């Protein structure tokens, strides 16, 4: 069973959150499935010095940086479609909100748009009834504006502004704790707050473990049906 | 209890291995201790494109890149001495052999030298009787040439060339599997092969979990003595 892991760089401030991604890969393997790391072959919105928080003068490529997380084993998003995967997971990190969509850059979150290649994959997965799991900021920035054409139940934890954006984008924001997963059974989509609420990597593990188990089990159910 | 985690960048080919480092941080917290991420504030030997394997024309700073793994919470090695820590762990990745020592760059491993600031910390920890844990290539590149003045039992798994270097550098190379930890009780030093043998992150977790538990327990014993 192939579980896509959609990445957007390598680092919390400008790419995919490293701990969230690593735990996702670990728990996919523990569920007996195979992770397929994917990233757009395109530049990040910007690159951030993670020591100072300041913006670098040179930028980096999402797929090249995500290859660090994947130990080189990464596939360009342009080479992947929904039929290649049994499920899709999207870790957080600001890359989800800066590179995969324009959520972070906008004052008015109602105007959020997702990269067209990312929207195509998510809509393709949804149309095929395949499960998806989103963590941290990814539910608001990537899932909520992905134009499912119906209200999806999503969580980013307890942050009111971000929950408001999920609602404004036509979905249902469900409050949760860091160890909980919010599951929209009808639409085969689940989410967990991870570092939207967690203080450290031990805090976020249980939610990511539950999310990954649910995604793998749901993918199994789709295959068995 | 403070467990130092000595980093050398962020990525298997030019810095600290991401999965090994993330699992180390996770298991330190699971053992009730606090990880203290540390890196030299200095340039890497070089920077490698993890997609193509080729060398980048611009280089990166070890501490700035390691800050990605530490979510910004990193201390310069120059600000740390053995008295600040209860134990020290060193993940692998080529950074351990390229940046913390010159092991990777040398034909003749007998000439291996460790950065003086790294050697000072390791020798200081050893002199204070505090435990240390090394994984992947770090036992050969950082621990073996660290001039303990005595033979230390270390493992890098089963690779004959690297085991030969450990022996040539005056230590004892003990073969092991990926899920095993080799412990030198007399010198309070342990090691595990991690990605020297592991195929994926699920393979390496047990060895790193065991190593981290041993380090934390040994640090507790030193404090209690």
């Amino acid at each position: 069973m192939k579980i896509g892991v959609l990445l957007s760089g390598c680092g919390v401030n400008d790419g995919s959150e490293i701990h969230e991604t690593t735990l996702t890969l670990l728990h996919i393997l523990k569920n007996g499935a195979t992770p397929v790391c994917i990233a757009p072959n395109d530049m990040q919105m910007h690159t951030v010095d993670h020591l100072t928080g300041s913006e670098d003068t040179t930028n980096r490529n999402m797929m090249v940086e995500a290859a660090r997380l994947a130990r080189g084993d990464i596939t360009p998003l342009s080479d992947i479609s929904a039929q290649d995967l049994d499920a899709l997971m999207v870790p957080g990190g600001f890359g989800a909100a800066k590179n995969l969509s324009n959520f972070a850059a906008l004052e008015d979150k109602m105007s959020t748009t997702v990269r067209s290649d990312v929207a195509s994959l998510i809509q393709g997965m949804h149309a095929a009834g395949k499960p998806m799991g989103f963590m941290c900021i990814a539910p608001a920035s990537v899932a909520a504006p992905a134009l499912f054409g119906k209200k999806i139940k999503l969580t980013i934890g307890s942050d009111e502004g971000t929950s408001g954006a999920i609602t404004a984008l036509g979905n249902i924001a469900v409050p949760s704790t860091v160890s909980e997963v919010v599951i929209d059974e009808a639409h085969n989509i689940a989410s967990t707050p991870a570092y939207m609420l967690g203080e450290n990597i031990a805090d976020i593990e249980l939610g990511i473990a539950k999310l990954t188990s649910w995604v793998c089990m749901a993918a199994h159910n789709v295959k068995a049906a």
Side-chain angles (χ1 to χ4, degrees), chain A:
Chain A
M1 213 153 55
K2 291 183 180 172
I3 315 293
V5 180
L6 181 58
L7 302 175
S8 56
C10 175
V12 57
N13 293 323
D14 56 15
S16 294
E17 212 294 317
I18 290 175
H19 304 171
E20 290 174 6
T21 303
T22 301
L23 291 175
T24 300
L25 300 176
L26 175 66
H27 286 284
I28 288 172
L29 288 160
K30 284 191 174 189
N31 278 278
T34 303
V36 179
C37 291
I38 306 161
N41 182 8
D42 204 353
M43 298 308 282
Q44 299 176 176
M45 185 186 102
H46 63 177
T47 296
V48 175
D49 180 318
H50 280 54
L51 186 65
T52 63
S54 63
E55 191 172 337
D56 283 358
T57 50
T58 56
N59 199 4
R60 300 180 184 178
N61 176 294
M62 278 184 261
M63 182 168 68
V64 172
E65 296 311 311
R68 293 176 177 270
L69 283 162
R71 295 170 53 85
D73 186 10
I74 194 150
T75 305
L77 176 54
S78 57
D79 288 1
I80 290 278
S81 71
Q83 68 192 17
D84 301 319
L85 303 172
D86 296 300
L88 179 68
M89 299 187 71
V90 187
F94 277 106
K98 289 178 174 177
N99 305 334
L100 302 183
S101 81
N102 58 0
F103 184 83
L106 296 174
E107 278 278 320
D108 174 14
K109 306 303 185 193
M110 282 292 284
S111 307
T112 303
T113 52
V114 176
R115 280 179 63 97
S116 62
D117 49 4
V118 173
S120 289
L121 180 60
I122 289 175
Q123 289 174 320
M125 296 297 291
H126 186 61
K130 294 177 179 179
M132 286 180 277
F134 299 90
M135 57 202 90
C136 191
I137 192 66
S141 53
V142 182
L147 308 174
F148 294 109
K150 57 197 89 160
K151 284 179 190 285
I152 307 287
K153 278 195 280 188
L154 295 164
T155 191
I156 48 76
S158 54
D159 183 76
E160 289 187 10
T162 314
S163 295
I166 287 176
T167 308
L169 288 160
N171 299 278
I172 302 162
V174 182
S176 70
T177 66
V178 67
S179 56
E180 288 177 316
V181 172
V182 167
I183 300 172
D184 185 329
E185 294 278 1
H187 301 118
N188 240 3
I189 289 173
S191 45
T192 192
Y195 272 124
M196 285 296 290
L197 286 177
E199 292 278 311
N200 60 46
I201 182 172
D203 282 348
I204 67 170
E205 194 195 14
L206 182 56
I208 294 174
K210 285 181 185 174
L211 180 74
T212 310
S213 291
W214 178 85
V215 165
C216 292
M217 195 161 40
H220 177 80
N221 290 344
V222 169
K223 271 203 141 169

